[in-house]
Amino acid sequence: METQAAGPGAFAEFDLGRVPSPCFVVDAAAVRRNLSILKDVGDRSGAKVLLALKAFSMWSLGDLVGEHLDGTCASGLYEARLAREHYHGHLTTYSPAYKRADLPEILRLSDTVIFNAPEQRARFADLIADARAAGAVFDIGLRLNPEHSEAEVAKYDPCQTGSRLGFPVSQLRPEHLEGVDGLHIHALCEQGFEPLERIWASLEPKLAGMLGSIKWLNLGGGHHITRADYRRDDLVALVRGISERHGVQVYLEPGEAIALDAGILVGEILDTFDNGLAVAITDISATCHMPDVIEAPYRPALMGEVDGGVTVRIGGTSSATMVLPCRRSRGIASPSSTRPIIRWSRPTPSTACRCRPSPCGTVRPTPCGWCGPSTTATSATGCPEGTAPADIGLQAPLNPAAA
């Protein structure tokens, strides 16, 4: 599986030494650009666009998200709580299964709760009735498996035989939609418009005669809408066509599209040696900080790469290992070094509090990574004269030793 990153963008000249390590650094200006694209798609198509929190849940940007999108979607109780505490607008919650003890709070917090099968909804009918009797107002949805596979990686394919995600559309009957307000379909992963177009062409005839009984259709996530080559005008036309033909409100749930090309993970090379292969030990943990490198698997993009170079086995201080070809990547290899890799000796961050305005930027809310337990801090360095910098948010990752 190949990364869909377009390149370092504004981070190409970012001073890596001015942030702690390991550290996720997010460019709020890039996030704002992505959100503006998604808002435009929603405005032109009539779709309601929700942020998938499982893909990007940097809650310090909750207000920014709320300025552009219609709400969020959660994958369980704790994300639903996060949404209500830090985000705005509509909240949809879906999980393949629910704990009976969790569901009353989920029903109270959510505007829509989506179930995985008709039998599951029927099993919790008493809790649904109790929540509504107590004054909670929410829609009920049903997730469908369209039984049309477009996923590039089999383990990420929710439409395959044996998938736990959604009720097979071939088994759907009109009586299954009694008490159901809408249908949910999620069948993509980091993909363009074409797979969605094929999925809907396959699914629409199978739902003939049933769409008239529902209020909304949720097309899920996995849409790389903010990628430069995404056919956004065609998406707008598809959504408008569905709404006009069937009289339903369409929802989209992009996740990675909100943060696409908007952040980096900064780490250090702590030590190097040779064991029949060049080896580098970093303070980044694949398991904690970038699990898809192992699970997908895929090779993450490295900043400053050029063609050529040596293969370096990069691993953290835990047992998890990444194998990455090193192509003279900044902080990992040096063009002037006779060794294939070098240890990067980073400057020690100042112990002074940095929660003050810098000469060329604004400060995000405290506490920051230096004077408090975590999250946001300062603005990008090296601002060209006469230009405003990108706001940079810092979020300290988990301790890699915990992996």
Side-chain angles (χ1 to χ4, degrees), residues 281-358:
I281 303 172
T282 177
D283 59 351
I284 294 172
S285 163
T287 305
C288 283
H289 305 144
M290 46 204 313
D292 278 359
V293 169
I294 297 173
E295 294 175 3
Y298 83 98
R299 182 198 179 283
L302 300 177
M303 288 179 59
E305 288 184 282
V306 295
D307 292 335
V310 298
T311 296
V312 179
R313 174 164 290 179
I314 300 179
T317 54
S318 69
S319 59
T321 301
M322 301 174 282
V323 181
L324 306 181
C326 173
R327 304 189 187 108
R328 303 296 189 190
S329 181
R330 179 168 59 157
I332 295 179
S334 168
S336 61
S337 174
T338 57
R339 298 186 61 189
I341 53 177
I342 62 169
R343 289 182 290 279
W344 179 32
S345 182
R346 61 181 291 110
T348 303
S350 169
T351 57
C353 174
R354 300 190 183 188
C355 291
R356 297 184 176 89
S358 64

Side-chain angles (χ1 to χ4, degrees), residues 84 96 105 159-160 172 175-176 184 215 223 240-241 253 267 271 273 276 282 328 333 336 340 361:
R84 284 303 182 214
E105 185 176 357
C159 302
Q160 62 184 299
L172 186 66
E175 56 267 25
H176 293 147
H184 179 222
K215 298 191 299 184
H223 316 275
R240 291 182 65 175
E253 295 180 345
D271 207 350
F273 61 95
T282 177
R328 303 296 189 190
S336 61

Side-chain angles (χ1 to χ4, degrees), residues 7 22 41 61 70 80 85 113 118 169 220 235 239 265 294 308 320 336 349 353 355-356 368:
V41 167
L61 297 179
D70 297 286
E85 291 174 10
V113 178
V169 67
L235 175 63
V239 169
L265 172 59
I294 297 173
S336 61
C353 174
C355 291
R356 297 184 176 89
C368 74

Side-chain angles (χ1 to χ4, degrees), residues 107-173:
L107 292 168
R108 178 175 58 82
L109 292 172
S110 306
D111 297 295
T112 297
V113 178
I114 298 173
F115 291 95
N116 204 50
E119 294 81 4
Q120 186 184 79
R121 179 184 63 83
R123 188 165 66 252
F124 292 123
D126 59 328
L127 297 183
I128 294 171
D130 289 347
R132 285 174 168 161
V137 178
F138 51 85
D139 279 2
I140 294 295
L142 174 65
R143 177 166 179 171
L144 291 182
N145 177 347
E147 298 177 290
H148 176 100
S149 294
E150 289 284 350
E152 297 175 3
V153 178
K155 70 175 71 175
Y156 287 169
D157 181 5
C159 302
Q160 62 184 299
T161 301
S163 171
R164 72 190 187 287
L165 302 172
F167 188 65
V169 67
S170 61
Q171 300 178 30
L172 186 66
R173 303 291 179 266

Side-chain angles (χ1 to χ4, degrees), residues 213-251:
S213 65
I214 63 172
K215 298 191 299 184
W216 50 263
L217 177 70
N218 187 326
L219 294 177
H223 316 275
H224 256 196
I225 298 170
T226 54
R227 209 168 67 199
D229 61 351
Y230 192 94
R231 291 164 48 189
R232 290 189 281 270
D233 289 342
D234 291 329
L235 175 63
V236 168
L238 176 70
V239 169
R240 291 182 65 175
I242 292 171
S243 297
E244 291 168 1
R245 286 194 303 278
H246 303 293
V248 294
Q249 172 66 59
V250 175
Y251 286 83

Side-chain angles (χ1 to χ4, degrees), residues 359-361 380-390:
C360 64
T381 56
C383 308
E385 284 203 29
T387 63

Side-chain angles (χ1 to χ4, degrees), residues 35 73 153 200 205 304:
L35 289 169
C73 55
V153 178
W200 181 246

